[in-house]
Amino acid sequence: AGPRNLHVLNDHCSAAMGEPGTPNTRHAARDSLFEASAFERSTDTVDGRAFAWRRQALVIAAVLGCLAVFVLARWLAAAPHLGGEWLAGPGGALVLQEPARTGSGRQLTVLAIGQRGEMPVAVDALLLHRWPRWQVDGQLRARQLQQHEALAQMLARGEGRVLLHLADGTLREASVVARGYAGLGWMFWPLIGLALLMYLFAVVLVLSRPQPRNTLFVVMTLCQAGNLVFIALESAHGLGLPSGTLASDLPMRA
């Protein structure tokens, strides 16, 4: 009875310690197999070269993403724009708040914007809205895009000044200057940083779990990153975005 009891005790100890061949060990093996798909197991390698390759690919993707953010910020900062505080006036008019010099500022109603020797472009408060996808009326959306595109082309000519046609019949010159990094707005950097993080998350997912079923999730993540890039562009200060930015907004988002 003594040796038989000792043998049973050894079996219990082996099962508790998870020695090979015991039922608990076989059950744990089945559980561990559940953690990875067959496709993942087929792509795993024993040596560390695969991990080194993935690490290098991640570093390259991160560097490319940071360069893209820098190029985008520099492109938008170098774009010319009309500074000042612009408001929507009565009846949808475009109003420029003139800086206070003698105690109180004035509000100038701007009817059109042009350059010397050229036909001015009629403008209104639609120039303040940068989200054509939210414009339900098709005619208003077309007029909004036309105003933005005409202003962008006017600013891109590099003449340095434009003429504001005011409601009282007078003309006033306005300076056209580069937006600069300060003109990007405080919302630009958090939004563009979040877009970069989502892009890197998609890259990490592809490198760590290369599964066909992750393709749709990666595409959704990259699309959302692009959506954040457009929102960051629209948060810039002043009037005037680079030509084609708003015209491509709705098709790209769709």
Side-chain angles (χ1 to χ4, degrees), residues 60-229:
I60 293 174
V63 171
L64 291 177
C66 292
L67 286 177
V69 168
F70 174 75
V71 170
L72 180 66
R74 184 176 178 82
W75 172 68
L76 187 59
H81 81 303
L82 283 178
E85 185 179 354
W86 298 86
L87 309 170
L94 181 64
V95 175
L96 173 61
Q97 179 71 37
E98 193 177 46
R101 295 179 181 175
T102 58
S104 62
R106 292 188 304 165
Q107 291 187 346
L108 307 176
T109 302
V110 180
L111 299 181
I113 301 176
Q115 291 177 326
R116 294 189 183 277
E118 295 185 3
M119 183 68 66
V121 177
V123 294
D124 53 28
L126 286 174
L127 205 57
L128 300 175
H129 301 283
R130 294 177 175 173
W131 302 276
R133 65 191 182 279
W134 295 113
Q135 190 62 257
V136 179
D137 192 320
Q139 294 182 352
L140 291 178
R141 182 168 59 251
R143 187 151 59 95
Q144 175 184 353
L145 290 175
Q146 185 268 337
Q147 290 184 25
H148 277 282
E149 192 64 22
L151 178 62
Q153 293 177 3
M154 193 183 304
L155 298 178
R157 294 191 185 101
E159 295 187 10
R161 289 184 178 275
V162 294
L163 293 176
L164 305 180
H165 295 251
L166 306 181
D168 58 6
T170 61
L171 297 178
R172 178 170 295 229
E173 284 192 343
S175 299
V176 177
V177 295
R179 179 173 279 107
Y181 288 104
L184 297 180
W186 66 272
M187 281 296 297
F188 176 84
W189 298 108
L191 288 170
I192 206 69
L194 185 57
L196 178 61
L197 286 178
M198 295 196 72
Y199 155 75
L200 291 177
F201 181 75
V203 173
V204 169
L205 182 63
V206 169
L207 294 176
S208 62
R209 289 183 176 273
Q211 300 180 12
R213 63 183 179 182
N214 286 337
T215 303
L216 181 59
F217 182 80
V218 170
V219 171
M220 292 170 58
T221 305
L222 294 178
C223 287
Q224 188 60 29
N227 187 45
L228 289 169
V229 169

Side-chain angles (χ1 to χ4, degrees), residues 132 145 148-149 230 242-252:
L145 290 175
H148 277 282
E149 192 64 22
F230 271 104
S243 180
T245 302
L246 293 185
S248 61
D249 177 273
L250 185 59
M252 291 294 292

Side-chain angles (χ1 to χ4, degrees), residues 29-52:
R30 286 195 300 270
D31 288 344
S32 65
L33 292 179
F34 182 73
E35 295 175 359
S37 65
F39 183 82
E40 289 177 300
R41 293 195 304 274
S42 67
T43 59
D44 286 342
T45 56
V46 178
D47 78 47
R49 286 180 296 178
F51 297 101

